Structures are given as structure tokens and as C-alpha cells.
Amino acid sequence: SGTTGGTPTSGSGTRMMWIPSKGAFRAGVVQGTQWDNGSVGNYSAAFGFNTSASGGCSYAADLGSTASGLGSWAHGITGANGANTQATNCAAMAFGAGACASGTHSISIGSSVSGSGTSPIASSGGSIIIGSADNSGNNTQAGFCSSGSGSVLVGRLDVGGIFITGTMKSTGTGSVGIGYTNSLSGGTTFLSSGEGSVVLGLAKSGTHQATGEASVAIGENVQSTADNAISLGRSVTNSTADSFAVGF
């Protein structure tokens, strides 16, 4: 019938195996229990080195990637910060080096170049993150994530030097952040936290953010902190609702 037969072996080793009872397939090398029967999802597939596909209908490939959510997909390698590429929720997708998609239907594409807090993380339902982060000073305050429901974050985070902080985040529901965060000194923040807010441009050793509902910040180190506020230019702060500010 083609459906009879359990997982033929367990533990570490090099092997290729078809598991009829689960409709699952494995090929490559493991050094632990990743391909033991209890870690094999129904109708899943895993290829490469130390990969794990424990979610039903999941897929994992390359080096150390993990697909544990139903219908999840993880394809990548371990990031420079030691984190594996992982898709841990229903229909989540992660690609790259240390990318993490933990929200339902979330997508994470990118890489951790160096240091802690640099994994691109999509942690909320329908959230998307694309880009890379480099924390050469290994500061624990670095962060690169899209955590608002349906939020989008695209860009690059660079944090250089010890005791320097830098974060790049889209935390508001339906918020969008696209740009570059370059933290050379002190603390740098790139943030779209207002519901439906949009941030475009550069945060350079300062703050570039839209925290009000439906607020917009475009330029360099621009802040829109009130609802429906729009700021355009360089080092401009607009804290008045339903207003437009331009400055250079």
C-alpha cells in the first residue's frame, strides 16, 4: 500500500529515509534526535545538516534550519549570532541566516551578520521582515523585528562599537518601515509603532519614527508623534495631530 512502515532508525547519522506511515522524507546528516520518530511531522521533508521538520506538512533544508509550525517552511543556515533559521508557526516562512518567522503566516528573509539581537524576526500574524543586521559591538540592546500584526519592515541595521544601542522595528498594526539604521554613537531608533504608520528613510545616531496613528515620517531623523501627523525632511519633529511639517 506504500503506507506501512515507521521511522527505520533514530539518533545521529548519515542517511536517506522514506517513512511510509507519516508520508515523510529525510536525507542528509543529523547529530542528534532531529530525525527521530517523535520529531518527524506528518507529510514533512527535511534535507541537509541538523535540520528539523516537526510540523505537519513542513519543510526544512540546509544547515540547522527548523520548521515546527503546520505548513511552515525554513530554508537557511545558522546566523552569525548562533541562531538557527526557523519557522515556528502555522504557514510561517523563514529564509536566510538566523531568520525567524514566529507569527502565523509571517515571513522572514535575511541574515544576522554579527552580534546579538540581529536576527530578522517576524513575530506577529501576517508580519514581514526583509533585510540584515550587523551588531559588531555585540550590544545587547540591538533589535531587528516586525512585531505588529500585518506589519512590514525592510532594511538594514548597523550597530557599531561597544555601549552603542540601535533598533529597527515595525510594531504597530499595519505599520510599514523601509530604510537604513546606522548607529555610530549613543542610541539610534528606527520605529513605526503607530497603527497604520509609515517610516521611510534614515535613522543615523538619532531617532526616526512615526508613533501616531496613521502618521508618516520621511527623511533623516524625522519624528511624527501625533495621530495623522506628517513630517518630511531632516531632524524635524511634528507633535501636532492632523498637521504637516517640513524642515531641513
Side-chain angles (χ1 to χ4, degrees), residues 68-103:
S68 56
L70 176 65
S72 61
W73 185 297
H75 199 303
I77 63 175
T78 302
N81 61 353
N84 291 331
T85 294
Q86 52 188 318
T88 62
N89 215 322
C90 178
M93 303 177 73
F95 304 88
C100 176
S102 57

Side-chain angles (χ1 to χ4, degrees), residues 73-137:
W73 185 297
H75 199 303
I77 63 175
T78 302
N81 61 353
N84 291 331
T85 294
Q86 52 188 318
T88 62
N89 215 322
C90 178
M93 303 177 73
F95 304 88
C100 176
S102 57
T104 57
H105 313 104
S106 63
I107 298 173
S108 177
I109 301 174
S111 63
S112 162
V113 178
S114 71
S116 63
T118 56
S119 287
I121 300 173
S123 61
S124 193
S127 60
I128 298 172
I129 187 168
I130 301 173
S132 61
D134 185 356
N135 180 12
S136 59

Side-chain angles (χ1 to χ4, degrees), residues 123-128 145-152 170-175 192:
S123 61
S124 193
S127 60
I128 298 172
C145 68
S146 182
S147 59
S149 179
S151 62
V152 177
S170 287
T171 63
T173 299
S175 63
S192 53

Side-chain angles (χ1 to χ4, degrees), residues 47-85:
F47 304 90
F49 183 80
N50 282 346
T51 55
S52 174
S54 58
C57 304
S58 63
Y59 172 84
D62 223 333
L63 171 63
S65 59
T66 298
S68 56
L70 176 65
S72 61
W73 185 297
H75 199 303
I77 63 175
T78 302
N81 61 353
N84 291 331
T85 294

